Amino acid sequence: MKKLYLIGNMKMNMNYADLEPYFANLTQVAENTSNVVGVCVPSVYLDFAKYSLENSKVLFGAQNMYHEDKGAYTGEISAHMLNDFSCDLVILGHSERRNIFHESDEDINLKVKKALAEGLTPILCFGEVKEEREGGMAFSVVERQLMNGLNGLDTDEINRIIFAYEPVWAIGTGLSATPDQAEEMIAFTKRLLHENFECHDNIVLYGGSLKASNANEILSKPSIDGGLIGGACLKIDEFEQIINTKVDE
Ligand code: PEP
């Protein structure tokens, strides 16, 4: 069996009351699978996540951070702060950060470097928008995002990153990439990492309307190591079905 990484991105959803049963259920689900389970929660709930998940098999973390240690950066959260809550993971470069909050490849590069320096595992998201795919630019956009996002990092550092290919046109739209489209881009990503950084066996996830009904066909593709799951992670029953996906090596 392939060991899959299945990580939820709650985005700006859930509340304190919902999270109590959610974390209890997720702990149980993670006990009963050999897949790796994680969840990235809104930062205000990190304390609760630490308290609820610290002794479980569930990895948890944040959805963003800033690269500076401290200072006059109103509203921002540092890597040190995430470590105060024993975070394992931090999502960086999500398309909603890039497109709504105008984060550049260079901003994301600084954050990735900082997260790695502080011992966090970045989940580095990348992917093209609809017009870029339709214009035949998907591969060059992904290459640019990755090369800029990884600027200045060495092989060992890059091997500690979890990558997530998330075509923007598939996020939250209900329209996932086809298994072949996802496989093609993730295989391309792995080749790029190998040729430019001498990396082998990087973990590269697919994200974009992954749900219980399409998890098996997407996750069984040979280059895909798991999924970053937005909407479908909010319903514990559906997330459980995705987490229980079993595919051959
Ligand atoms: C995401 O936001 O990372 C994501 C994949 O969202 P969704 O599953 O809702 O498309």
Side-chain angles (χ1 to χ4, degrees), residues 6-245:
L6 299 159
I7 301 176
N9 172 18
M10 285 184 175
K11 312 195 189 197
M12 198 172 73
N13 292 300
M14 303 295 257
N15 57 40
Y16 199 78
D18 293 336
L19 284 172
E20 191 164 4
Y22 184 95
F23 286 150
N25 284 325
L26 193 59
T27 298
Q28 223 26 67
V29 171
E31 272 308 312
N32 298 328
T33 178
S34 47
N35 290 331
V36 177
V37 179
V39 67
C40 293
V41 305
S43 296
V44 290
Y45 300 127
L46 283 173
D47 197 21
F48 192 37
K50 171 178 154 67
Y51 164 80
S52 308
L53 299 174
E54 205 171 28
N55 297 316
S56 77
K57 287 166 70 184
V58 181
L59 305 176
F60 72 93
Q63 301 168 13
N64 186 29
M65 54 161 252
Y66 195 53
H67 67 271
E68 293 287 355
D69 282 335
K70 61 178 179 174
Y73 305 106
T74 302
E76 293 294 337
I77 295 171
S78 72
H80 287 170
M81 292 170 184
L82 298 187
N83 276 329
D84 254 355
F85 292 103
S86 314
C87 285
D88 307 292
L89 310 167
V90 58
I91 296 175
L92 296 174
H94 192 280
S95 62
E96 287 149 19
R97 299 299 319 173
R98 293 177 188 263
N99 299 331
I100 304 173
F101 300 99
H102 309 297
E103 288 187 14
S104 66
D105 291 342
E106 290 69 31
D107 296 328
I108 294 157
N109 176 244
L110 291 173
K111 294 179 182 209
V112 171
K113 283 179 175 155
K114 187 65 184 174
L116 288 168
E118 299 297 335
L120 292 158
T121 298
I123 301 173
L124 175 56
C125 300
F126 59 95
E128 79 287 355
V129 300
K130 185 163 171 272
E131 294 71 28
E132 291 165 340
R133 175 150 291 258
E134 287 172 352
M137 283 142 54
F139 291 88
S140 59
V141 167
V142 160
E143 181 164 358
R144 189 209 72 223
Q145 289 176 342
L146 286 170
M147 294 307 287
N148 291 342
L150 299 174
N151 186 30
L153 294 172
D154 66 25
T155 310
D156 289 345
E157 289 168 321
I158 294 171
N159 283 339
R160 288 169 44 213
I161 297 172
I162 295 177
F163 293 86
Y165 168 56
E166 300 208 302
V168 182
W169 45 273
I171 295 182
T173 58
L175 179 78
S176 74
T178 65
D180 287 343
Q181 284 172 322
E183 167 65 21
E184 186 183 30
M185 188 60 88
I186 290 178
F188 170 78
T189 299
K190 291 187 171 183
R191 263 197 319 278
L192 196 83
L193 295 174
H194 177 60
E195 286 167 9
N196 290 281
F197 303 102
E198 293 172 31
C199 289
H200 301 274
D201 300 328
N202 295 91
I203 298 167
V204 188
L205 314 182
Y206 167 76
S209 298
L210 194 66
K211 34 193 185 249
S213 57
N214 61 15
N216 200 75
E217 55 169 356
I218 293 178
L219 299 174
S220 57
K221 287 289 175 184
S223 303
I224 303 180
D225 299 304
L228 185 59
I229 301 127
C233 87
L234 300 174
K235 294 161 267 169
I236 190 68
D237 291 350
E238 179 153 22
F239 195 26
E240 176 176 7
Q241 286 180 55
I242 297 171
I243 288 168
N244 286 332
T245 305

